[in-house]
Amino acid sequence: MKKALFAVLVCLCIAQVGCTKSVRYTEDEIKGYPSSIQEQIRKGTIDLGMTKDQIRYAWGSPDFIKLLEPFEGKSRAEWLYTEQGTLGVIGTKILFFYDGKLLYIK
């Protein structure tokens, strides 16, 4: 019985790894963006200069948000995305926003 339960759990974990996030937007929500941004959102890719909303549409909500002290009156924030595998976290991406736009990816 324990072996069968273990096998089912392993299969479920493997199935989860192969799944992609569901659609995080509707076409109405992204129709006002330039066509190049719309295409990136559809593909799930991001680029410097994109807004926080555009990043959320492309990648979904971050796992963690750290609000930083403003600099020269402009907002700053770091968003952390983690990539999960069957053995735990396999990678992280830190996105740094300045004045609401993606400035760099680490």
Side-chain angles (χ1 to χ4, degrees):
M1 178 68 177
K2 287 182 181 180
K3 287 182 181 181
L5 181 58
F6 178 76
V8 169
L9 289 174
V10 168
C11 289
L12 287 173
C13 288
I14 292 170
Q16 272 302 100
V17 172
C19 294
T20 59
K21 291 183 179 178
S22 61
V23 173
R24 297 155 304 277
Y25 60 89
T26 65
E27 288 297 318
D28 266 358
E29 290 173 311
I30 66 170
K31 71 180 177 187
Y33 296 133
S35 59
S36 60
I37 297 292
Q38 290 180 38
E39 191 58 32
Q40 282 190 276
I41 290 170
R42 288 184 193 107
K43 289 180 180 178
T45 61
I46 64 171
D47 207 356
L48 301 180
M50 290 177 80
T51 67
K52 291 177 179 181
D53 284 340
Q54 293 166 347
I55 302 292
R56 279 188 201 272
Y57 290 144
W59 280 13
S61 295
D63 298 309
F64 181 77
I65 296 175
K66 180 179 179 182
L67 299 177
L68 305 170
E69 290 291 321
F71 180 74
E72 296 180 353
K74 308 286 183 169
S75 65
R76 299 183 316 143
E78 286 182 346
W79 286 10
L80 174 73
Y81 286 88
T82 57
E83 186 178 351
Q84 298 288 328
T86 56
L87 300 176
V89 175
I90 58 174
T92 61
K93 296 277 187 198
I94 299 173
L95 282 55
F96 180 79
F97 291 90
Y98 180 74
D99 197 25
K101 298 202 175 176
L102 183 61
L103 185 62
Y104 70 84
I105 304 167
K106 185 165 114 177

